[in-house]
Amino acid sequence: MARNINSETASESVASADLRVDDSLDASANALPPTDNGDLPPALGRSTSLKLRIVFGFAAMTLAVVLMMGIITAKILSDGGMSSELAWSMRGELMLWGSGAVIVASLLGLIFARQISEPLRKLTAELRQVDFHKLADSVHIRREFLELEQLSITIHSLASSVRNRDLQLTASERKFREAFDLVGIGLTQVDAAGRFLVVNRRFCEMLGYSAEELTGKSFIDITHPEDKPADEAMLHAIVSQGLPLTVNREKRYIRKDGSVLWAKRSGVVVRNAEGAPLYALGSVEDVSNYHAAQATLTALNDSLSAIVKTSPLAIYSVTPSGIVTLWNPAAEKIFGLNASSVVGGLSPIWINAQVAAADIRLRVLRGETVHNVEITWTGKDKIPREISLSAAPLRGVDNEVVGILVTASDITDTKRTTQALDQQLRFVQELLEVIPSPIFYKGADGHYLGFNRAWETFFSKRREDWIGSTVTELLSPERAKLAEQEDAILLRSGKTIIVDDVIADGEGNHRHIIRHISRFTNADGSPAGIIGVLTDITDFKQVTRALEASEGT
């Protein structure tokens, strides 16, 4: 009876152990990590727990021993001639002891299995409750047996590697974000619908929006109206037609304040394995200053072109080898040659005036600026004309001389006028020199400008000694004051002053003179100075007095 009770108790213990093992298996199955779509991965076969394997192992070994003992006993009994009753009694005893041995072995296996599986269960429970990234700091190394210790160390090592990798990724992501925000051009990421996902600080600064205002907004919403059709066509080509596209073009954005931003946009579309567009990465460079400079340069070129076309000076340019690249209308008029017949050919001036042209070329190619080189030009009308040339170097981006700019003016009439004026001036100067009366002229500031030969003879002074002086330096204070008053009245009124006066000549003799003083003016009529003529009437006075004396006697 006791044997039956023990057998039933052992059977219940094994059954309860099997039930716990089944629960452990169910829990292990529930702990399987889900796949990407949220489902558990398909099982290749139901796994057996370590505890159940140990119990079954002990039971199998015991059963094998019992069977072996039974076989040996049966052999002994059959060989020894034992009675059947005694043999059956011994078989029963052996079966009973064998069953007990199996139960005891199973219980021992269960105890040993529990000692082994309990640390594993605790380790599993800890792993379930702790974030894997914090595992190295939260889970202790289990040292119950060597294999478990090695497993714990391996898990800790793996967790530490993962954490270090996460730290490296975090640092790398932080550096990337800092570089993303600090880079000098705008960077963007847009989705397949054209909405901004990520924008950097420079792009926000260029447009005047915050990152929050731009995120979720379509790039077409901030595109200039004239550029929207091109952007919409590009977006359609990417999404609907699946065209591979790399963007590299200039476009206009509308800033938050309504002003226009010219930008150079470059980008690339990133697609998934099926070829569908995921997002586009783009860089945006502000080229507004470039376009403003281009507009200014265009306006400047237009202005310079207008100046060149309307200039009364002949303007033309040549390469260092003398090929004409510019020939304005004034050059056509002065030289009598059309631009179509000159541009692209050797400069006709170089052909016509080789010596002067060669000198100008050499000097300009050395970097000099040449002024007023006169040449004689004979055109198709066979009339020689005097031409004044000035030239300067045209420089390239590296400051090298890439051409020669020449201005030319027809000075034929000017030279004729100058010659005529020179002749008239010489005539006036000779006329002043041959007039027997002393003559002086001075500027409006009172400084003497010149005297004639009769003045030098009358006062016995060289004119160079008086030129540049004033009346205060040459006359007594009383006479200087009187002369200054006369000059002021004359310059103001313009009327001629005639004065009868007595002055001393160069030998100290007092001479009776009549002084005629008049004003001369500039071309605009403003006072330029004073000219005076001294008429010596001393002899006339003496004759008059002699006649008066003879009439009185």
Side-chain angles (χ1 to χ4, degrees):
M1 184 69 178
R3 290 173 183 173
N4 294 333
I5 293 175
N6 291 336
S7 299
E8 292 174 359
T9 305
S11 299
E12 291 175 357
S13 299
V14 172
S16 63
D18 292 341
L19 181 61
R20 288 194 299 271
V21 169
D22 292 340
D23 293 341
S24 176
L25 290 173
D26 293 339
S28 299
N30 293 333
L32 289 174
T35 59
D36 294 338
N37 58 8
D39 299 330
L40 291 175
L44 299 177
R46 191 169 181 83
S47 301
T48 305
S49 70
L50 179 63
K51 182 189 294 185
L52 188 59
R53 291 184 180 185
I54 294 174
V55 172
F56 284 167
F58 270 85
M61 287 188 297
T62 304
L63 182 60
V65 172
V66 171
L67 289 176
M68 186 176 293
M69 290 176 63
I71 293 171
I72 295 172
T73 303
K75 180 67 174 175
I76 294 173
L77 292 176
S78 63
D79 294 340
M82 187 176 294
S83 63
S84 59
E85 293 180 358
L86 182 59
W88 279 107
S89 176
M90 291 185 67
R91 289 190 185 96
E93 291 289 336
L94 287 173
M95 290 297 295
L96 180 62
W97 284 101
S99 299
V102 170
I103 294 172
V104 172
S106 299
L107 292 175
L108 290 175
L110 181 63
I111 293 172
F112 281 113
R114 185 175 182 82
Q115 293 294 323
I116 295 173
S117 64
E118 185 62 22
L120 291 175
R121 186 190 64 79
K122 292 180 179 180
L123 178 61
T124 303
E126 290 181 357
L127 293 176
R128 291 177 182 174
Q129 296 174 0
V130 179
D131 184 0
F132 190 75
H133 297 82
K134 302 178 181 178
L135 185 63
D137 297 329
S138 303
V139 177
H140 301 289
I141 296 178
R142 316 295 303 187
R143 302 184 183 276
E144 284 80 355
F145 49 89
L146 180 60
E147 289 78 3
L148 184 60
E149 181 179 355
Q150 293 176 344
L151 177 61
S152 300
I153 293 174
T154 301
I155 293 174
H156 275 73
S157 176
L158 179 61
S160 298
S161 298
V162 171
R163 183 176 63 178
N164 293 336
R165 184 62 176 172
D166 286 345
L167 292 175
Q168 293 175 358
L169 290 175
T170 301
S172 176
E173 182 179 358
R174 184 175 64 253
K175 292 179 180 179
F176 171 77
R177 187 63 194 183
E178 291 175 354
F180 186 78
D181 275 336
L182 293 177
V183 71
I185 61 175
L187 297 177
T188 64
Q189 181 185 11
V190 299
D191 61 14
R195 295 183 296 265
F196 289 109
L197 299 176
V198 182
V199 294
N200 73 337
R201 180 168 53 191
R202 177 57 183 154
F203 186 70
C204 296
E205 291 173 352
M206 287 192 292
L207 292 173
Y209 290 96
S210 65
E212 292 75 14
E213 290 174 319
L214 287 175
T215 302
K217 184 187 291 290
S218 173
F219 72 90
I220 295 179
D221 294 339
I222 56 174
T223 297
H224 191 278
E226 296 180 4
D227 293 337
K228 282 185 177 181
D231 280 356
E232 291 171 346
M234 176 189 69
L235 188 60
H236 176 74
I238 295 172
V239 177
S240 301
Q241 302 177 16
L243 296 179
L245 189 62
T246 299
V247 180
N248 189 1
R249 69 184 185 91
E250 290 187 357
K251 61 170 291 184
R252 287 165 291 181
Y253 290 94
I254 301 298
R255 293 189 179 97
K256 187 176 181 179
D257 60 5
S259 59
V260 177
L261 169 71
W262 271 101
K264 182 178 181 181
R265 185 183 178 200
S266 301
V268 63
V269 177
V270 179
R271 301 180 182 274
N272 61 14
E274 290 74 23
L278 295 176
Y279 56 86
L281 299 175
S283 64
V284 181
E285 182 180 0
D286 185 354
V287 293
S288 296
N289 291 337
Y290 169 77
H291 277 268
Q294 286 294 102
T296 302
L297 183 60
T298 300
L300 180 60
N301 286 337
D302 292 342
S303 299
L304 291 176
S305 178
I307 291 172
V308 170
K309 289 180 179 179
T310 60
S311 172
L313 289 175
I315 300 175
Y316 67 93
S317 62
V318 295
T319 65
S321 59
I323 303 301
V324 178
T325 56
L326 173 67
W327 192 265
N328 76 335
E332 293 181 341
K333 181 179 179 181
I334 291 177
F335 295 105
L337 299 172
N338 293 328
S340 59
S341 64
V342 176
V343 174
L346 189 63
S347 169
I349 291 85
W350 288 28
I351 299 173
N352 189 274
Q354 295 182 5
V355 176
D359 179 66
I360 292 174
R361 175 180 177 275
L362 291 176
R363 293 173 61 184
V364 173
L365 292 181
R366 288 198 300 264
E368 298 181 28
T369 299
V370 180
H371 298 284
N372 302 324
V373 176
E374 295 183 6
I375 65 170
T376 300
W377 169 262
T378 302
K380 294 181 179 180
D381 57 3
K382 305 300 181 181
I383 299 176
R385 307 194 66 83
E386 298 296 325
I387 307 296
S388 176
L389 301 178
S390 296
L394 295 174
R395 299 187 181 275
V397 293
D398 296 326
N399 204 37
E400 77 280 13
V401 178
V402 297
I404 302 173
L405 180 67
V406 183
T407 61
S409 59
D410 187 347
I411 59 173
T412 303
D413 296 336
T414 302
K415 293 194 72 172
R416 289 173 182 173
T417 302
T418 302
Q419 291 173 356
L421 290 175
D422 289 342
Q423 291 176 356
Q424 184 176 2
L425 179 59
R426 285 195 296 271
F427 171 77
V428 171
Q429 289 175 341
E430 291 298 328
L431 179 62
L432 289 175
E433 293 297 321
V434 299
I435 294 176
S437 299
I439 298 175
F440 71 91
Y441 46 96
K442 56 184 175 181
D445 58 357
H447 290 82
Y448 285 101
L449 301 176
F451 307 89
N452 68 345
R453 188 180 299 115
W455 183 280
E456 289 182 315
T457 303
F458 186 84
F459 289 100
S460 300
K461 293 283 188 180
R462 295 173 62 251
R463 68 186 77 183
E464 290 80 5
D465 297 335
W466 286 32
I467 291 176
S469 301
T470 62
V471 292
T472 58
E473 297 171 320
L474 302 177
L475 304 178
S476 64
E478 294 80 7
R479 295 190 66 85
K481 184 177 181 180
L482 179 61
E484 289 176 344
Q485 292 175 352
E486 289 179 351
D487 291 348
I489 294 172
L490 181 60
L491 291 173
R492 185 171 56 254
S493 65
K495 296 180 179 180
T496 302
I497 298 176
I498 302 174
V499 179
D500 188 350
D501 198 2
V502 177
I503 59 176
D505 61 13
E507 297 178 355
N509 300 318
H510 289 82
R511 310 289 295 181
H512 288 272
I513 64 168
I514 296 177
R515 187 169 66 249
H516 291 76
I517 306 173
S518 183
R519 182 185 72 177
F520 63 92
T521 61
N522 294 311
D524 60 0
S526 61
I530 297 173
I531 185 171
V533 180
L534 306 183
T535 303
D536 187 356
I537 60 172
T538 304
D539 295 338
F540 175 76
K541 285 282 188 180
Q542 292 177 353
V543 171
T544 301
R545 281 197 297 267
L547 290 175
E548 291 175 352
S550 63
E551 291 177 356
T553 58

